[in-house]
Amino acid sequence: MNFQRHRRLRKSASMRSLVRETHLQVSDFIYPLFFVEGENVKKEVPSMPGVYHLSLDLLEKEVKEIESLGIQSIIVFGVPNEKDDCGSSAYDHNGIVQRAISQIKEIAPSLTVIADTCLCQFTDHGHCGVIENGEVLNDETLSLLAKTAVSQAKAGADVIAPSNMMDGFVAAIRQGLDEAGYYDVPIMSYAVKYASSFYGPFRDAAHSTPQFGDRKTYQMDPANRLEALREAESDIAEGADFLMVKPALSYLDILRELKDRYPLPLVAYNVSGEYSMIKAAAINGWVDEKSIVLEKLISMKRAGADLIITYFAKDAARWLNEK
């Protein structure tokens, strides 16, 4: 009989390791952190077991743990006490994100600190821009995003990661950073961000649920593939240094398309809903958390991601370090 013996390359663990095509490393991970005002606050996000709101006085212990696990990059989110209609605390030089970044860089200067750059966590209406007559105004929002990015760079952010999906946001932020002298601060654009139902737990964590309507006029329709390419091309033309696809797991095809077409480092955001579903199933004993998480993360690498933002970063780092 004439047929292929594919099992030859799967007959032992060492053989499988020898021919493995895709590898997951701790340095692939970017760990999200949520900082809040107050003291001695470590409060678990109800819909995200294992994810916490932290006050800045507890920051050092958390950062040291992250470093000890070998994680090299974090992304910082802030939840302010005070919000207004234009998100002014987002670009306050003494804002929660700016203070967190400054402290982290003092404690761990070698850690790459990425600042999420958006307004939704800082506006009282929960949208990512300025509102007029119920509409999110695109161009009026850009200057505020640039101010936010400059304040984050001034605080010490190594990378600016705009997530708002306004048209022209990369160009506006690049111009703002350059005019302020931050030529060397790269932009990790949330280039392809879908209006996804997988964001629910994050909005619980960031207190950023829209108070009216939804985000479908600025985030993308999940049905669209070609639009993702147009979004990515625009961001590259405007000066993006990284491209991101968010969410990751339901959009692996988009990750692969961007990887095949564009030479920029590609980031997958393994979002809150993807995290919480597995956590809930694991807590109930329905799935083996370690094996399913590692399988999920390797699928993102196989699809083309160079880096993965994931709430599982610390768990996955421990599992990989066990080997």
Side-chain angles (χ1 to χ4, degrees):
M1 294 177 68
N2 183 22
F3 58 89
Q4 295 293 314
R5 295 281 183 186
H6 299 290
R7 292 181 61 190
R8 288 174 185 147
L9 299 183
R10 301 197 290 260
K11 66 181 182 181
S12 68
S14 62
M15 181 66 79
R16 292 191 293 275
S17 177
L18 186 67
V19 300
R20 188 159 293 140
E21 300 172 19
T22 308
H23 296 272
L24 199 59
Q25 305 175 86
V26 176
S27 59
D28 297 330
F29 304 141
I30 300 170
Y31 187 56
L33 288 172
F34 296 90
F35 291 106
V36 296
E37 306 283 358
E39 293 184 359
N40 200 31
V41 178
K42 185 176 182 180
K43 185 177 180 182
E44 192 171 48
V45 178
S47 56
M48 300 179 72
V51 174
Y52 295 87
H53 283 160
L54 288 173
S55 53
L56 298 183
D57 57 318
L58 302 183
L59 178 154
E60 181 169 2
K61 182 179 179 182
E62 180 72 16
V63 168
K64 294 291 186 187
E65 182 186 10
I66 290 167
E67 279 199 311
S68 71
L69 291 168
I71 298 169
Q72 299 176 12
S73 305
I74 59 172
I75 184 165
V76 175
F77 298 90
V79 184
N81 280 347
E82 303 295 331
K83 302 188 180 192
D84 57 30
D85 62 354
C86 57
S88 58
S89 58
Y91 39 90
D92 182 346
H93 291 299
N94 197 37
I96 184 69
V97 168
Q98 288 79 0
R99 283 182 285 142
I101 292 169
S102 178
Q103 290 188 32
I104 293 166
K105 293 306 294 184
E106 286 184 15
I107 294 165
S110 63
L111 196 65
T112 297
V113 178
I114 303 165
D116 180 83
T117 305
C118 196
L119 300 180
C120 60
Q121 299 149 59
F122 305 94
T123 55
D124 52 15
H125 45 72
H127 279 286
C128 304
V130 177
I131 300 288
E132 186 174 289
N133 298 324
E135 180 185 355
V136 180
L137 301 180
N138 190 91
D139 295 14
E140 290 77 357
T141 299
L142 297 180
S143 61
L144 302 185
L145 295 171
K147 286 174 64 175
T148 302
V150 169
S151 72
Q152 292 169 336
K154 185 176 182 180
D158 298 294
V159 180
I160 298 299
S163 57
N164 53 90
M165 290 295 283
M166 295 298 116
D167 290 336
F169 67 126
V170 173
I173 288 172
R174 185 70 272 159
Q175 181 178 339
L177 290 172
D178 290 351
E179 288 178 353
Y182 297 109
Y183 311 103
D184 294 332
V185 175
I187 296 175
M188 178 184 288
S189 174
Y190 287 60
V192 180
K193 183 177 182 181
Y194 286 93
S196 171
S197 298
F198 286 97
Y199 301 151
F202 174 89
R203 291 172 185 169
D204 193 14
H207 298 173
S208 60
T209 302
Q211 297 305 300
F212 64 90
D214 54 41
R215 297 189 171 118
K216 293 180 180 177
T217 65
Y218 44 106
Q219 296 179 359
M220 286 178 45
D221 184 340
N224 290 354
R225 180 182 66 84
L226 297 177
E227 185 182 13
L229 304 180
R230 296 197 297 272
E231 287 280 359
E233 287 169 1
S234 294
D235 286 4
I236 292 171
E238 292 174 18
D241 299 282
F242 299 78
L243 297 176
M244 188 191 302
V245 175
K246 180 182 180 182
L249 205 55
S250 292
Y251 301 89
L252 296 180
D253 57 327
I254 305 300
L255 277 168
R256 171 46 56 190
E257 288 229 38
L258 264 60
K259 186 65 176 176
D260 288 345
R261 288 171 179 262
Y262 308 117
L264 298 188
L266 184 61
V267 185
Y269 199 139
N270 175 206
V271 300
S272 58
E274 297 167 349
Y275 171 86
S276 296
M277 288 191 297
I278 291 177
K279 276 290 181 184
I283 289 169
N284 282 285
W286 298 334
V287 298
D288 179 81
E289 183 177 4
K290 174 182 174 180
S291 62
I292 203 168
V293 168
L294 294 179
E295 182 178 337
K296 181 178 72 163
L297 295 175
I298 202 79
S299 76
M300 296 169 198
K301 289 289 298 287
R302 195 186 63 244
D306 299 295
L307 300 165
I308 304 171
I309 300 174
T310 177
Y311 304 97
F312 283 114
K314 292 201 298 186
D315 292 333
R318 291 189 187 95
W319 295 327
L320 293 175
N321 290 334
E322 289 172 357
K323 293 181 179 178

